[in-house]
């Protein structure tokens, strides 16, 4: 959990720089897309850490199952999140990527 908290903290520090770079390259659409992508990443890290932290206290087998199936579910959630905005007027797919 502490590693994930540190990663999220550092991600929030670097996020304005990345958003500004994408804003310069792709305009406001790029800035919004970059912010959306960073939010997806940081939420993904948080969910992964939460699953591991919660299930590790219960049993090793449950933790391994949560890691495996949690990865598949989180990958599906990212897919749905990108699919939901891919045709939006404010999205820039290169900046999102």
């Amino acid at each position: 959990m502490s590693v994930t908290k540190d990663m999220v903290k550092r991600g929030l520090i670097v996020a304005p720089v990345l958003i500004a770079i994408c804003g310069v390259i792709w305009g406001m659409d790029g800035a919004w897309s970059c912010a959306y992508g960073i939010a997806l990443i940081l939420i993904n890290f948080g969910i992964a850490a939460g699953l591991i932290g919660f299930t590790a206290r219960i049993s090793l087998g449950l933790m391994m199952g949560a890691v495996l199936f949690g990865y598949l579910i989180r990958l599906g959630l990212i897919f749905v999140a990108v699919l939901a905005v891919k045709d939006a007027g404010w999205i820039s797919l290169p900046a999102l990527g």
Side-chain angles (χ1 to χ4, degrees):
M1 290 293 279
S2 64
V3 172
T4 300
K5 286 180 185 176
D6 187 54
M7 288 171 62
V8 169
K9 214 182 299 183
R10 291 173 191 259
L12 291 174
I13 291 170
V14 175
V17 175
L18 292 174
I19 293 169
I21 291 170
C22 288
V24 167
I25 296 171
W26 292 286
M28 281 305 293
D29 291 345
W32 285 113
S33 299
C34 182
Y36 186 72
I38 290 170
L40 286 176
I41 291 168
L42 297 180
I43 290 169
N44 187 22
F45 286 159
I47 292 171
L51 276 172
I52 293 170
F54 179 74
T55 58
R57 293 185 212 120
I58 298 170
S59 75
L60 179 62
L62 181 63
M63 184 183 73
M64 289 189 292
V67 168
L68 174 65
F69 293 108
Y71 172 74
L72 295 173
I73 291 169
R74 289 182 293 116
L75 191 62
L77 289 174
I78 291 171
F79 175 75
V80 168
V82 172
L83 192 64
V85 299
K86 74 176 179 66
D87 294 326
W90 58 270
I91 202 75
S92 170
L93 290 178
L96 177 63

